[in-house]
Amino acid sequence: MGIIIKFVLKNIWEKKLRTLLILISVMLSSALFFATEALSDTAKDLFIERMKVYYGTADLLIYATHNSPSNFFYKHQAERFANDLEYIVGSIETGGNLIVNQETLRLGVKGFTLPELQKMNPFFLVAQRKLYPFQGNKIILSKRTAEEYDLKLGDYLEIEVFGAKRKFLITALAEPVGPFQYDGQNINAVVPLDTLATILNARGKVATLYLKVRDPARKGELIQKLSEAYPRYQVRETITGREMEEYSKSLTTSFQMMGTVVLFMAVYIIYTSFKVITRERLPVIGTFRSIGATRKMTSLVLMIESIMYGVIGGLLGCGLGIGVLYLIMLQILPEFLRNVTPTLRYSPPQLGAAFVLAILIAFISSLVPILKASRIPVKEIILNSNSKPKEKKRWQIITGMVLIGAAASLPPFVPFRLFLPTSMILIFASIIGFILLIPTLTNLFLTVFARVYLYLFGNEGILAAKNLRDNKGILNNISLLAIGISSLLMINTISISVAQEVTNFYRDGKFQIWLWTWQADRGTEALLRKIDGVEATYGIYTANYVEITNLKDRINLVHGVNQYKYLDYWAINVDPTLLAELDTGRKILISNTLRERWQVQKGDFLVLKMTRGERKYQIIGFFDSLMWNGSFALMADRYLKLDMNRQYYDDLFIKTNKDPAIVSTTIKEQLKRRSPYVSTMAELEAENIQANASMFRVMRGFSLLALVIGTFGVFNNLIISFLERQRSLALLRSIGMSKNQSIKMFFIEALTGGLIGGIIGVLSGSLLISISPLIMKAVAADIPLHHSLSLYLSSILAGVLITVTASTSPAFKSSNLDIVTALKYE
Amino acid sequence: MPPIIETFKLCKTFKLGEVEVEVLKEIDLTINEGEFVSIMGPSGSGKSTLLYLMGGLDKPTSGRVRVKEVDLSIMTDKEESVFRRRTVGFVFQFYNLVPNLNVEENIMLPVLLDGKPLKAYRNRLDEILETVGLADRRRHTPRELSGGQQQRVAIARALINEPDIILADEPIGNLDTKTGMGIMALLQKINQVQGKTIVQVTHSMEAAAYGQRIINMRDGKVEE
Ligand SMILES: Nc1ncnc2c1ncn2[C@@H]1O[C@H](COP(=O)(O)OP(=O)(O)OP(=O)(O)O)[C@@H](O)[C@H]1O
Ligand SMILES: [Mg+2]
């Protein structure tokens, strides 16, 4: 055994470049696999971290809704369940304005008692003065806020809450964590619960209860009981598993896709490398076998070699994976969490799985070449009479066509539930299909090129085209390029389309300012219309996350539509007569995304769970929209108002006839007391683009990785094929090929290889793009994909650049070949 | 007959690390136009080396080779290539055909490299295929041919550009006697009918008998 390992290690060591390539392939795929796996947990942590500002460690929440008799309630009904709860923490929280240095800042004012807050969302005070007893006009700020605005212990702060200015004394400063974490929008401050309750005339009452359950298994049961105890209040989990899943899924899916592509390239590289390795070892294998080694023994040696690559690559991959995870985290971390060093969460099983995957990739990819080699009869090896079956070729073409045909034609027939798995399978199918067809396609292209080349490059062109025919190295290069380019194309097209669509979405809004405020009504509208620059306003009723009980799903957003106004504010492609029809009863228009997901038709009924109970709405039509990822529906405002028991507008859309930015500031100024949330469409758009940008940066990074592996692979293939061709190159030189001709021939070959690889890459890329709407719909939104000609052309160019660059070294090596020596070697 | 290949004090040494091996030692040799010369001698005596130097495939350590009154040592890479294309044709022991090209394409390679239109050579190709007896095998790839047939292709390739000289290194070393003699008869015909100068390296007296002159080599020297 020792001897075999030594032999194997020597083999690995001898071909450093190839070893490097195989190791990189194994390493990257296991690293990406690990990073993606761990990312899902880390992302969930991140989500919890984001939500901690609000919920701390609480897992249940009780609060008032539109339906509740009052905004405030007593804690004691919940105390009946004290045995099942670790804590019951009450609070009153509100938004306010902090006035410092003539500047008005938005401030989250949290009314708590300190011991309760400490239990629920631990904080750390760094300085305090006269903090206890915590009552009256005392306030705790985060150290960060204090530093930023130059505030000190003992200073008085002017705060506007509930429409009045009040002075608060800074009595403590806290680390900017837990409840004092900056959440990206608000500065947070803690004041005594009692103080707020007194202002609001609600002494002894709270607006929100935070609960932590002792036994998580009984959470559902407790929600049930608490809902009975607080019949007209909302009882829910702070963070639902579903929200968390959705958040982490939105992050990980793209990485999974990229990881799969890298994996696929790695498998291909290892497979081809092993084809070369086994061919190289054939004489040795033959010799071994002729002196009595069994097939098993010779195969075992090769398998040990492949497992070695797996082990080494896996170890390196785990290390690299942690680094990759860290990099991804840095990229996706929202701005306001940057000061929290991301805690990477990964478990030994995940590392183990990545390691095992590495070994499996190496082993499985090399299995076919190894088994094939073992099946060649000894006689053939020794006589070097490699008979080539023609049958295989036809089989390849047919399978390839079937796979591509399936990938191209199946998507419209796939049911929504199966979108994700099917699209993955179809992507594999199309890539494999194209790989199978590559020899045939290449020959086709070559026939065409040979003619053109005669005019472009003269006889060297024909020669190059002839050399390329059935040239394994070139075919491998073309395959690698095709895999790399097509997946890059898909990813880039998706990301460009998403970015464009986001912009389009805000373009669909035909107003300039979006406003949210507490208790907005006609009075508010009248107020707004008086503001200089405001041309028109539209107050709209909306409902979020409406459950559809008969379909066990939900609609993320329902707009209550005013048929006369709606289309002036939203450029939604829907028939105005349908909008008018909404007013005739409980009728609903749903997005095409929902139609596809639910497989419903015009005339079907949806049972919506609304504030006033379950209501039956009839579907009267469909429209295209990306609002809320396409989970969007329209109904008449009067029915929404009625069934959801709404009194106030949920959103106000404002048209301006002056610079929206200026108008927005004026509005903020004028409505200061109501602390509205005002945003111009331009700001919303920029925010969204920025949120997507970091995601795309990471994806681009991944695609670059794929390109790098591809280039490595191409280079490796060129070197291998150069070594194999040395003799025929020497021969050509012996019958009169000049150095220049030889260099020229090499570059024409590279150019052609790159061109064909690029073209096939674009072909299979557009097939992949035609499949990707399935993924998009399953994961996020039904986003129309924009095919970009310039992207296609630059892909082809990239292919050419890669091959031409990679072939510089072999080209010059071949021109300086020692003819006589090269000719002598058999 | 005027001389066509001349060597003057031709030396070739190979360096193997510290050791220098003198393979050719001051060889003065003249081969005349239209001659069919056979170089013989024990293995390692420098026959192949000499032949490669005459064809410009390798460079001498010192001394000169003149072919058709031109000194090979002063040729540029381009001139050398043209020389290999048009003035000499090589035939090797192991045929050295390009495996993925068919018979026709292999034969036409020198024309292709010369940048001439292939069409102009159609008739010549037919003629040569006829001469070497492979008219019915034009579309076959080397893999589908026997050793003797492959060597005929190599000879046809050497002839296509109508060189004045054919240099053959053990052209029948890999073939059975009967096939070998067939090839020799072909070379002889080419020599006699077309007047080409032929220099071959061979180990077989029988093969050498097809030529007019034998040059014996021993330890890097010519013993005539
Ligand atoms: N590239 C080289 N490097 C070192 N030594 C070489 C090289 N080429 C040839 N030799 C040496 O030169 C000598 C002559 O070689 P050459 O091939 O000319 O012999 P030969 O007469 O053709 O022999 P054979 O009949 O076996 O073909 C041999 O000793 C050989 O080892
Ligand atoms: Mg020899």
Side-chain angles (χ1 to χ4, degrees), chain A residues 226-239:
Chain A
L226 285 163
S227 303
E228 283 160 20
Y230 292 95
R232 298 179 70 185
Y233 289 83
Q234 179 76 35
V235 180
R236 69 168 180 94
E237 283 180 80
T238 45
I239 302 167

Side-chain angles (χ1 to χ4, degrees), chain B residues 20-223:
Chain B
E20 285 200 357
V21 192
E22 256 190 300
V23 177
L24 297 182
K25 301 166 185 165
E26 304 206 342
I27 291 185
D28 289 312
L29 193 69
T30 305
I31 287 159
N32 294 321
E33 223 178 297
E35 265 193 303
F36 186 161
V37 179
S38 303
I39 304 176
M40 299 189 75
S43 184
S45 57
K47 306 179 295 290
S48 298
T49 309
L50 177 62
L51 197 76
Y52 292 146
L53 285 175
M54 291 201 255
L57 282 185
D58 210 350
K59 298 250 183 274
T61 315
S62 66
R64 284 184 302 140
V65 179
R66 259 161 59 109
V67 178
K68 291 178 84 182
E69 315 208 312
V70 180
D71 193 334
L72 295 191
S73 62
I74 59 164
M75 281 187 178
T76 62
D77 173 60
K78 182 128 202 253
E79 287 166 341
E80 226 176 70
S81 311
V82 172
F83 166 78
R84 289 202 290 263
R85 264 179 236 156
R86 299 190 189 158
T87 314
V88 295
F90 271 103
V91 178
F92 302 97
Q93 181 180 355
F94 293 105
Y95 334 127
N96 278 336
L97 302 178
V98 181
N100 56 336
L101 298 183
N102 64 28
V103 168
E104 262 183 29
E105 291 167 331
N106 260 295
I107 296 175
M108 292 298 257
L109 271 176
V111 178
L112 210 63
L113 291 171
D114 220 11
K116 296 179 201 150
L118 295 178
K119 278 199 192 114
Y121 276 75
R122 280 281 134 214
N123 291 336
R124 169 122 189 93
L125 178 69
D126 291 342
E127 223 173 86
I128 287 181
L129 280 169
E130 207 58 55
T131 316
V132 298
L134 285 174
D136 53 341
R137 293 285 148 88
R138 17 171 94 224
R139 305 251 173 232
H140 289 228
T141 58
R143 206 177 272 123
E144 297 156 354
L145 298 177
S146 74
Q149 285 166 332
Q150 288 188 51
Q151 196 59 299
R152 282 164 199 274
V153 176
I155 291 170
R157 185 180 62 199
L159 285 174
I160 187 83
N161 255 343
E162 305 209 54
D164 297 319
I165 304 162
I166 295 206
L167 300 174
D169 191 358
E170 301 187 39
I172 59 167
N174 221 22
L175 301 171
D176 63 77
T177 320
K178 187 163 167 265
T179 320
M181 290 314 128
I183 298 280
M184 286 322 298
L186 175 63
L187 286 177
Q188 192 179 43
K189 192 172 102 190
I190 291 163
N191 171 249
Q192 284 169 2
V193 178
Q194 304 182 14
K196 309 270 178 217
T197 309
I198 298 181
V199 181
Q200 71 157 340
V201 171
T202 184
H203 284 286
S204 136
M205 273 316 288
E206 268 177 299
Y210 283 83
Q212 301 131 4
R213 175 152 73 116
I214 294 178
I215 296 172
N216 272 305
M217 286 194 70
R218 186 172 294 276
D219 291 337
K221 286 188 179 156
V222 174
E223 314 180 323

